[in-house]
Amino acid sequence: MKITAGTLPLLTLTLALATAASAQSSSSLEVTVNTGAALSSAATRGISAPAPTSSKQEKQATSKTSTPAPNRGALASRAGRPQEPQAAPMTVTVRPGKVVFDSVAIRTARAATSKMLSTATRGQTLAILSEMDDLYGVLMVNNTIGWVDKSAVQLLDYNTEVTLEAPKEQPRSAASGLAERGGLDEKQRQVLREAFSYMGAPYVWAGNSRSGLDCSAFVKNVFSTVGVSLPRHSGDQITQGRKITDTGELVAGDRLYFAMKGGGTITHTGIYIGEGFFIHASSNHKCVDVDPLFKTYVNKLVAIRRD
């Protein structure tokens, strides 16, 4: 019996989110790409973008013959925090449970109105970590806990001990050193430091916290730390700040807006960090990461804003 520990729900979620679309406001092309030698050379020298962080965790599972009930109330002191998935211990005893509904939502908190993490489908085996009232706490692949209705899950008659790989410390990338270089004012440094503190945070469409967020939430949250209040959606964020119309004028801390599907509809955003690179919550990397601007992304750049 293979316990998925939330792997399939998260994969299902990723596929579902890939087909979702949010309403974005239109914007005409307003950026002139400066191809001068100085910027072109800066865009290609010296700094390599870090490799994307994998969202998969290695798992080991061994079976026991005892049949105790799930770990009732073990996480009760943390289970009630709204809107945030709970961090699971590194070694846990779980109870396998089969999904008996065609589909059932796994949510971030116990409230029925809380945000949905993913959807589990009939026959899927979940790792039940705890129970609370009419809900089971499900161990997810990223070491967090989601909540599912008890009625949708049939417990199996044994427990399994699961040892999860401890999170590895995010190595300091060469790009993150840009926050400490000379020539930046304190506001720019603060923006870059905050942005790099999100490195490796999972990309989650419509997410809004370090446990998972999308591109516009990332930009909004970073700039809130320097007193800049931005709208939630990228298409609305360009109403704030000073327009910059030439990429040759880019400075660290400028906000970048892209029409990834062509036309003028903004569908992505990030923050310029200097030396031809920008940081963003990337659906391609599935996390917050750094990419070169002047390779492919610049062709989709439609707006720049400075606060």
Side-chain angles (χ1 to χ4, degrees):
M1 177 65 66
K2 180 180 179 181
I3 297 178
T4 62
T7 302
L8 290 178
L10 288 182
L11 291 176
T12 301
L13 176 64
T14 301
L15 294 174
L17 294 183
T19 62
S22 58
Q24 302 284 355
S25 61
S26 296
S27 170
S28 60
L29 181 67
E30 59 179 51
V31 173
T32 300
V33 178
N34 185 312
T35 57
L39 188 58
S40 296
S41 62
T44 57
R45 68 172 182 262
I47 298 174
S48 299
T53 302
S54 173
S55 62
K56 296 183 179 179
Q57 302 289 334
E58 294 180 359
K59 297 176 286 291
Q60 296 177 335
T62 57
S63 297
K64 292 186 176 182
T65 58
S66 59
T67 59
N71 190 14
R72 183 176 183 88
L75 299 178
S77 63
R78 295 184 289 177
R81 296 190 313 191
Q83 303 305 318
E84 292 290 337
Q86 321 299 306
M90 288 301 100
T91 300
V92 294
T93 298
V94 300
R95 183 79 169 269
K98 283 279 190 182
V99 176
V100 295
F101 287 2
D102 288 339
S103 65
V104 62
I106 300 179
R107 299 187 180 276
T108 58
R110 290 181 291 152
T113 56
S114 61
K115 185 176 68 177
M116 187 171 70
L117 277 174
S118 60
T119 301
T121 56
R122 184 182 295 274
Q124 194 168 343
T125 305
L126 303 178
I128 307 302
L129 184 64
S130 64
E131 64 176 302
M132 187 71 62
D133 300 326
D134 295 327
L135 301 171
Y136 287 132
V138 179
L139 181 63
M140 307 300 286
V141 71
N142 61 349
N143 295 5
T144 62
I145 297 173
W147 296 92
V148 63
D149 287 339
K150 283 184 177 180
S151 60
V153 180
Q154 179 182 358
L155 294 181
L156 303 184
D157 61 355
Y158 63 92
N159 281 7
T160 295
E161 186 175 272
V162 177
T163 301
L164 302 176
E165 182 182 274
K168 294 180 179 179
E169 183 179 353
Q170 180 71 30
R172 180 182 176 86
S173 69
S176 64
L178 292 174
E180 308 305 327
R181 72 190 187 279
L184 301 181
D185 61 31
E186 188 53 35
K187 182 178 179 180
Q188 288 175 299
R189 293 184 192 279
Q190 190 173 345
V191 167
L192 296 192
R193 288 167 184 160
E194 181 67 10
F196 283 116
S197 75
Y198 280 81
M199 282 288 287
Y203 176 88
V204 175
W205 184 82
N208 194 36
S209 72
R210 290 179 184 272
S211 61
L213 77 174
D214 60 17
C215 62
S216 55
F218 167 68
V219 171
K220 177 182 183 295
N221 292 351
V222 167
F223 278 88
S224 69
T225 64
V226 293
V228 176
S229 179
L230 296 174
R232 175 63 178 84
H233 298 292
S234 57
D236 298 325
Q237 290 178 4
I238 63 166
T239 63
Q240 308 293 316
R242 178 161 66 94
K243 290 183 180 181
I244 305 298
T245 58
D246 190 329
T247 57
E249 299 175 8
L250 277 168
V251 299
D254 284 350
R255 293 182 276 122
L256 308 174
Y257 294 93
F258 305 87
M260 301 304 295
K261 298 179 181 179
T265 301
I266 292 172
T267 57
H268 191 55
T269 182
I271 302 169
Y272 188 67
I273 62 176
E275 299 290 347
F277 286 84
F278 74 109
I279 186 170
H280 58 146
S282 167
S283 59
N284 290 334
H285 294 307
K286 298 181 173 59
C287 66
V288 174
D289 210 339
V290 171
D291 274 313
L293 176 62
F294 295 94
K295 285 189 177 180
T296 58
Y297 280 96
V298 70
N299 297 325
K300 304 293 185 180
L301 181 65
V302 296
I304 304 169
R305 293 293 181 268
R306 184 173 299 163
D307 298 294

